[in-house]
Amino acid sequence: MSARILDGKVIALEVTEALRPRIAQLARPPGLAVVLVGDDPASAVYVRNKTRRAGELGMVQRQITLPATTSEADLLALVDALNADDAIDGILVQLPLPAGLDKDRVLDRIAPEKDVDGFHPINTGKLWQRRPALVPCTPAGVVELLRRTGVALRGVDAIVVGRSNIVGKPMVALLEQQDCTVTLAHSRTRDLAGAVGRADVVVAAVGVLELVKGAWIKPGAIVIDVGMNKRPDGKLGGDVEFGPATERAGWITPVPGGVGPMTIAMLLANTVGAAERASR
Ligand code: NDP
């Protein structure tokens, strides 16, 4: 068997193009503010990609770059100002923050209705209660990719490898909402190979190059690779051993070009949704 490829670039383009008529309906363009503190080169690339696509869609995009020496008080004051700014519907503070800045204090300060990353504890709680909430972009993008396979998810066994607050845990909540039976695996999981081998849906969000071996994959499974790791040759690689996994999986995402573009698409969808709610 050779897996069908879930092309995140194509699907992300479809998702973002579908936002255009919604944007056109609004009295003013949706506004996204992206705050970058420090000069981490990878973060700068992510921020550029996010704001560029927002601009292409006619959204107001404001990139605010602050020096790594910025005090927490100044960063909190900026968040307060953006919370109060009627032209801004979504606020994203790019992680990681430089040492000395308390990530939780900063993210908790973002108004929940403008928290387009979906990391605020209010949104996290609502997600688990199945109440309307801003949902973290990467797991939301994974759900969209799963939807595009057309495979019925009700009752299937899913595994999420990795339990971060921003990917793994919200992914579990979203798969549970799809009526999957979900296993959450992490670094203390005893038999990862066995657990992956029982799963019809595998979401790998670990950050270890090719941790999930192709030979573990259940024949026909859907494999979603969130990982973004540097290969020894400097290129980007996933958490799944791609080549061997394609021999067994039914569907698989490549890295790059799978989940990454979907994260940006869902961020923009969240921002448009926030603007729609703000306009009511
Ligand atoms: P974190 O480092 O926050 O979490 C990693 C998780 O993986 C932890 O729960 C950890 O377990 C688990 N883990 C580590 N080693 C193993 C192991 N050997 N076996 C099983 N589980 C293990 O990472 P993130 O969730 O932030 O990111 C995960 C990956 O996804 C990274 O490569 C990141 O770059 C990528 N990413 C990609 C995005 C995209 O848009 N494509 C967006 C966000 C992240 P424990 O809790 O026990 O330590």
Side-chain angles (χ1 to χ4, degrees):
M1 176 189 289
S2 189
R4 277 182 280 181
I5 303 292
L6 273 165
D7 188 332
K9 277 195 219 157
V10 169
I11 298 169
L13 193 63
E14 288 170 12
V15 167
T16 50
E17 286 301 314
L19 297 174
R20 285 189 193 275
R22 289 171 58 191
I23 293 170
Q25 288 276 311
L26 290 162
R28 59 162 181 81
L32 173 65
V34 181
V35 180
L36 175 63
V37 189
D39 46 17
D40 176 44
S43 293
V45 172
Y46 299 148
V47 165
R48 213 169 28 246
N49 289 342
K50 288 167 184 173
T51 51
R52 193 190 53 212
R53 187 70 185 125
E56 284 167 4
L57 292 168
M59 298 166 67
V60 168
Q61 30 93 19
R62 208 180 292 166
Q63 188 188 325
I64 302 146
T65 306
L66 300 173
T69 52
T70 301
S71 71
E72 195 170 292
D74 284 349
L75 184 53
L76 292 174
L78 171 66
V79 171
D80 287 343
L82 293 169
N83 282 340
D85 188 335
D86 287 339
I88 294 299
D89 302 290
I91 304 168
L92 180 155
V93 177
Q94 183 66 43
L95 300 179
L97 288 174
L101 296 174
D102 185 328
K103 160 179 79 67
D104 289 338
R105 250 198 312 263
V106 174
L107 297 184
D108 287 3
R109 193 72 159 244
I110 297 172
E113 64 276 15
K114 295 193 178 187
D115 167 41
V116 282
D117 251 342
F119 296 162
H120 194 287
I122 294 271
N123 284 317
T124 304
K126 285 184 172 173
L127 170 66
W128 281 97
Q129 293 184 351
R130 291 202 188 197
R131 292 160 63 181
L134 282 160
V135 174
C137 307
T138 299
V142 171
V143 171
E144 185 61 27
L145 289 169
L146 292 173
R147 204 175 67 76
R148 299 293 175 119
T149 65
V151 174
L153 296 176
R154 178 168 296 173
V156 309
D157 290 318
I159 187 167
V160 179
V161 190
R163 56 177 163 183
S164 71
N165 287 336
I166 62 175
V167 188
K169 278 191 269 189
M171 190 72 249
V172 171
L174 290 173
L175 289 168
E176 176 270 324
Q177 287 184 11
Q178 299 292 320
D179 292 325
C180 297
T181 302
V182 193
T183 300
L184 176 56
H186 44 74
S187 68
R188 306 281 177 239
T189 296
R190 277 203 197 134
D191 177 17
L192 186 60
V196 168
R198 287 186 289 278
D200 306 294
V201 173
V202 179
V203 181
V206 183
V208 176
L209 183 68
E210 299 183 344
L211 173 83
V212 175
K213 303 302 171 208
W216 298 354
I217 303 296
K218 180 176 178 177
I222 307 174
V223 178
I224 309 284
D225 192 348
V226 178
M228 289 199 303
N229 313 296
K230 229 184 193 161
R231 293 182 175 284
D233 63 6
K235 291 194 179 136
L236 211 55
D239 288 344
V240 177
E241 210 187 10
F242 183 78
T246 58
E247 298 301 312
R248 297 172 67 85
W251 292 89
I252 194 165
T253 57
V255 176
V259 174
M262 294 303 294
T263 297
I264 297 175
M266 302 323 277
L267 169 71
L268 301 178
N270 274 351
T271 306
V272 172
E276 288 169 341
R277 283 187 292 280
S279 75
R280 277 180 213 134

